[in-house]
Amino acid sequence: MKTVHPLPDAASVVPVRQPLISVDKLTVDMPLGRSGSSVRIVDGVDFTIGVGERVALVGESGSGKSLTARALMRLDRLAKLSGRVDFDGTDLLKLSDRDMGKLRGSSIAMVFQDPMSFLDPLMTIGDQVAETLRIRGIGKAEARKRALAVLDELGVDRAAERLDAYPHEFSGGMRQRVVLAMALVGEPRLLIADEPTTALDVRVQDQVLDLLDDVSTRRGLAVLFITHDLGVVAGFAERVMVMYSGRIVEDGEVASVFAKPSHPYTQGLIKAVPRIDQDLNTLYAIPGAPPPPLARPSGCPFHPRCDQRFDRCGVDLPALQPVGMSRVACHLLDGKGA
Amino acid sequence: MLMSIDSISKSYNAFPNPPAKVLHDVTLNVDTGEAIGLVGESGSGKSTIAKCMLALIKPEEGAITYDGIDVIHARGEDLRRFRREVQMVFQDPYGSLNPRMTVEELIGEGLLIHKLEPTAAARRARVAEMMEMVGLNPNDMDRYTRSFSGGQRQRIAIARALVIRPRILVCDEPVAALDVSVQAQVINLLQDMQKKLNLAIVFVAHDLAVVRHLCEKIVVLHKGKVVEQGTREQIFDNPQMPYTQSLLAAVPVPDPVVGRARRAARRLETAN
Ligand SMILES: Nc1ncnc2c1ncn2[C@@H]1O[C@H](COP(=O)(O)OP(=O)(O)OP(=O)(O)O)[C@@H](O)[C@H]1O
Ligand SMILES: Nc1ncnc2c1ncn2[C@@H]1O[C@H](COP(=O)(O)OP(=O)(O)OP(=O)(O)O)[C@@H](O)[C@H]1O
Ligand code: SF4
Ligand SMILES: [Mg+2]
Ligand SMILES: [Mg+2]
């Protein structure tokens, strides 16, 4: 059979990547007080992140973004996890606590929204950045040398002098660089960044994004970037996954999702963001509010707010299915798959 | 002019260091029915100005005048009228509402304090009317705020401020804690109230796209000084000061083509 190779145009070139992490039917249950019962927060999530790929995870507050990310690193002791998380051929959910501990920081690292709560105010910057390496048995001098190299790479000026400084001597943006250095010093292959720029003002946010962009390109580092700022997604990520009420409802290339969102929730989100570069008219607002996990509606969890719902929506839960190059969980798209 | 802020300066005590001056000679005016945005990076003094406008703190220098009242020295009936006509809404819809009060008590509190409706029945009617106006269901009047979402709580906070018919509403980051879809509901509500009630709104926010949407007049602050002020068109289409330009250039645009192109262009600039 003869295959046709059309000339690639910029929009249709999709790099095929080696998968780095594959998540399959991941669920996260959290205990409800001391009653012994629990509530399902993450409700069957599947996705893959390729080597060096930059993926954004967006969705409203409480949709389960952080708990999904934390589950990949098994950070919540109380969380009951099920499903599979394959990283480089091993199922992370089956690793012993000890092996998982070794993997944190060396293969997968995470940065959080608030750098100050993550830094120890009584420890010097140099010691904190080197700590990951020290835990792995690397000698003091070598660890310090590598810490310095990372701080340098991240644009902390006079890094050598500042190794002995304390966190309070740094501005917000600089602290976020230090936290990033702590994450990167172990040379992870996947960085999970949970709202790393939300607490920063626009100009500092922009610097941190440029930095992440450079580092991930230079190191071939995959990034899972959690945010609710669609502007940040547009400028940084290659792919975007949209989460609603504990499930992924749309997953696709950033350019195509923004140009033509398929899921009614994604459509609403994109329309609801005021833009600095467009005419002013009344903002579109999705009516209602996201459901709490304990009162998730039947059928499609978005149906009480959806202006395109029809009879099936209140009854059947739509599965995440391929639609063209994307995946979408909506009954409107049934049968329109590839 | 409804309120004028004339060359105010404000310092905070920073013991054992000498007091730190955080506002330098700030001047701005608020006209009836206009929405004015205060923007600037974190620490530039936006909240400090908002607090001065509400007479929650006093500047050491300068004057604030509201409709003939000298706000800094106001007492008695003048102060009461000021407190009634200038209201506020804060960022945190969780911390600012007393969890032991029902929605009716929360929204009706101002009517009671300012003795605006003599009977409980009349207060209840005003609360119901206000709830409807901000998109809440009056049947929820007897509930506590615990069970409301962030967006609903912010509506309660707005209803609480508006029920006594203020002429100025000062909002400090009122949508910062809200989700995108809910944020749009609250911005639309504020815009709607501004038109319906001829309300002046002073809107403090980091998010310049939101400010552009709501405010006809913009004041740009940097390190406690007003570096530029003007109409929406002047500031967003033709900013004069490099600081304003840098703030605008950093706003992320939710469009992959535009966003990438802007960042690439900026990098070229910094590389050269
Ligand atoms: N330790 C916990 N125990 C019980 N429930 C929790 C716990 N942590 C989070 N939750 C609940 O799980 C849901 C999802 O939380 P998660 O932090 O993953 O949301 P998110 O999408 O990251 O939201 P945000 O944008 O606000 O960070 C929320 O309803 C939250 O209240
Ligand atoms: N109660 C206080 N005591 C001492 N210093 C204060 C106090 N409140 C604010 N400051 C300082 O005054 C300056 C201006 O603060 P302000 O809160 O007005 O800034 P802002 O523009 O509202 O910032 P943000 O965007 O972070 O809310 C900052 O340097 C801040 O640290
Ligand atoms: S499945 Fe139905 S309710 Fe859900 S998003 Fe699609 S159309 Fe709307
Ligand atoms: Mg989160
Ligand atoms: Mg403030």
Side-chain angles (χ1 to χ4, degrees):
Chain A
M1 197 167 77
K2 197 175 160 230
T3 40
V4 186
H5 295 284
L7 275 181
D9 67 58
S12 72
V13 178
V14 178
V16 178
R17 295 179 191 264
Q18 195 99 323
L20 177 65
I21 189 166
S22 302
V23 176
D24 188 26
K25 297 195 187 63
L26 175 70
T27 63
V28 179
D29 293 332
M30 296 303 284
L32 269 179
R34 262 173 292 173
S35 63
S37 59
S38 62
V39 52
R40 177 144 301 177
I41 308 274
V42 177
D43 191 17
V45 155
D46 304 306
F47 63 86
T48 300
I49 299 175
V51 173
E53 190 175 28
R54 291 198 290 233
V55 181
L57 182 59
V58 302
E60 306 208 25
S61 182
S63 56
K65 305 179 296 292
S66 297
L67 285 181
T68 302
R70 296 170 66 84
L72 305 185
M73 290 183 77
R74 287 176 36 195
L75 288 178
D76 295 302
R77 298 217 146 265
L78 294 174
K80 218 162 69 239
L81 310 178
S82 77
R84 279 180 73 86
V85 177
D86 274 320
F87 184 86
D88 236 5
T90 13
D91 183 355
L92 299 188
L93 301 191
K94 296 218 169 72
L95 281 184
S96 68
D97 284 348
R98 209 165 145 252
D99 289 339
M100 190 66 217
K102 282 197 208 140
L103 214 117
R104 281 188 209 118
S106 63
S107 297
I108 309 182
M110 188 154 177
V111 287
F112 302 93
Q113 172 169 347
D114 176 13
M116 212 44 196
S117 67
F118 198 69
L119 291 168
D120 181 342
L122 300 178
M123 217 169 142
T124 65
I125 297 298
D127 285 347
Q128 297 194 54
V129 176
E131 198 181 13
T132 325
L133 299 174
R134 299 282 292 139
I135 291 169
R136 278 199 271 150
I138 291 168
K140 201 167 176 181
E142 173 66 17
R144 197 174 156 91
K145 205 175 94 197
R146 287 208 224 160
L148 176 60
V150 179
L151 287 168
D152 242 350
E153 180 185 359
L154 294 180
V156 173
D157 37 273
R158 295 182 289 116
E161 285 164 49
R162 298 172 94 174
L163 279 179
D164 298 314
Y166 290 88
H168 72 265
E169 299 171 50
F170 281 59
S171 69
M174 277 298 160
R175 281 180 204 145
Q176 199 54 285
R177 284 173 208 247
V178 171
V179 173
L180 207 52
M182 290 166 70
L184 294 178
V185 74
E187 307 199 338
R189 301 181 62 203
L190 172 65
L191 176 70
I192 300 175
D194 192 353
E195 312 248 11
T197 59
T198 306
L200 305 173
D201 66 63
V202 277
R203 291 187 319 153
V204 181
Q205 163 177 313
D206 200 49
Q207 292 161 10
V208 172
L209 282 176
D210 276 349
L211 195 70
L212 265 178
D213 200 335
D214 286 345
V215 173
S216 85
T217 310
R218 201 163 45 230
R219 294 187 171 203
L221 174 73
V223 182
L224 176 62
F225 195 101
I226 300 175
T227 177
H228 54 250
D229 188 334
L230 293 175
V232 168
V233 174
F236 179 79
E238 298 157 274
R239 221 175 80 213
V240 56
M241 304 192 290
V242 182
M243 205 159 174
Y244 190 79
S245 192
R247 315 182 109 240
I248 290 176
V249 297
E250 181 155 6
D251 171 10
E253 295 288 316
V254 165
S256 64
V257 172
F258 277 79
K260 200 171 169 296
S262 299
H263 195 282
Y265 174 60
T266 319
Q267 292 166 0
L269 267 191
I270 289 176
K271 273 198 281 180
V273 184
R275 293 180 52 161
I276 202 157
D277 62 337
Q278 276 187 353
D279 288 349
L280 297 159
N281 27 42
T282 308
L283 270 186
Y284 174 79
I286 305 175
L294 272 177
R296 211 168 269 149
S298 61
C300 171
F302 188 57
H303 87 262
R305 305 175 72 192
C306 182
D307 55 8
Q308 299 172 56
R309 66 171 172 259
F310 55 104
D311 43 8
R312 266 183 79 185
C313 301
V315 190
D316 299 336
L317 180 66
L320 189 62
Q321 287 176 342
V323 175
M325 303 288 297
S326 304
R327 295 186 303 158
V328 184
C330 171
H331 293 312
L332 286 173
L333 293 141
D334 275 3
K336 292 195 194 155
Chain B
M1 194 190 315
L2 192 55
M3 185 186 266
S4 80
I5 297 196
D6 188 12
S7 315
I8 60 167
S9 296
K10 170 76 194 162
S11 307
Y12 286 114
N13 285 326
F15 189 79
N17 300 320
K21 199 160 178 175
V22 300
L23 293 183
H24 306 261
D25 229 5
V26 168
T27 296
L28 57 96
N29 296 323
V30 182
D31 287 326
T32 303
E34 84 177 348
I36 163 166
L38 300 186
V39 304
E41 66 195 355
S42 186
S44 55
K46 305 182 294 293
S47 297
T48 305
I49 294 181
K51 285 181 199 145
C52 288
M53 291 179 129
L54 290 159
L56 297 175
I57 55 176
K58 289 187 173 163
E60 296 90 43
E61 289 163 46
I64 301 180
T65 317
Y66 167 77
D67 196 28
I69 299 174
D70 169 357
V71 173
I72 297 173
H73 305 103
R75 293 169 50 210
E77 180 49 34
D78 275 354
L79 184 61
R80 275 194 292 276
R81 179 161 76 89
F82 172 81
R83 290 254 174 262
R84 191 169 68 231
E85 295 184 0
V86 182
Q87 292 291 318
M88 61 196 152
V89 174
F90 287 122
Q91 167 171 352
D92 180 14
Y94 296 87
S96 58
L97 298 175
N98 183 344
R100 290 172 196 283
M101 287 166 79
T102 64
V103 175
E104 180 186 0
E105 288 164 348
L106 281 166
I107 298 179
E109 195 181 23
L111 296 174
L112 203 62
I113 293 175
H114 296 288
K115 305 194 179 66
L116 294 179
E117 292 290 352
T119 68
R123 278 198 298 276
R124 213 173 150 84
R126 280 278 286 274
V127 169
E129 177 198 25
M130 201 64 229
M131 285 180 79
E132 236 162 279
M133 199 183 264
V134 301
L136 291 166
N137 184 345
N139 293 335
D140 290 337
M141 211 182 268
D142 299 322
R143 287 171 56 194
Y144 292 88
T145 54
R146 261 195 307 281
S147 53
F148 287 90
S149 70
Q152 286 172 321
R153 288 180 208 213
Q154 208 54 305
R155 284 173 201 270
I156 295 171
I158 292 170
R160 183 176 147 83
L162 294 185
V163 73
I164 50 181
R165 296 284 150 86
R167 296 170 71 197
I168 302 185
L169 184 66
V170 179
C171 309
D172 193 352
E173 307 267 7
V175 294
L178 302 178
D179 287 313
V180 188
S181 74
V182 179
Q183 164 184 298
Q185 297 170 2
V186 173
I187 296 170
N188 288 345
L189 171 65
L190 286 172
Q191 211 157 27
D192 198 35
M193 293 296 122
Q194 183 203 356
K195 294 203 189 97
K196 270 199 195 120
L197 308 173
N198 196 25
L199 181 72
I201 296 181
V202 177
F203 188 85
V204 173
H206 277 36
D207 188 333
L208 288 150
V210 170
V211 172
R212 174 171 173 268
H213 203 88
L214 187 70
C215 305
E216 301 93 56
K217 199 164 102 192
I218 318 283
V219 177
V220 185
L221 289 162
H222 181 43
K223 299 197 171 143
K225 292 191 178 123
V226 175
V227 292
E228 187 164 2
Q229 55 179 310
T231 64
R232 167 160 50 209
E233 290 69 28
Q234 283 165 349
I235 300 293
F236 283 92
D237 302 342
N238 193 14
Q240 298 300 310
M241 302 304 289
Y243 177 72
T244 312
Q245 291 161 358
S246 75
L247 270 186
L248 293 178
V251 178
V253 176
D255 179 323
V257 181
V258 181
R260 294 235 166 83
R262 279 173 44 144
R263 303 214 1 206
R266 246 177 316 111
R267 264 197 237 173
L268 264 179
E269 259 170 48
T270 41
N272 289 339

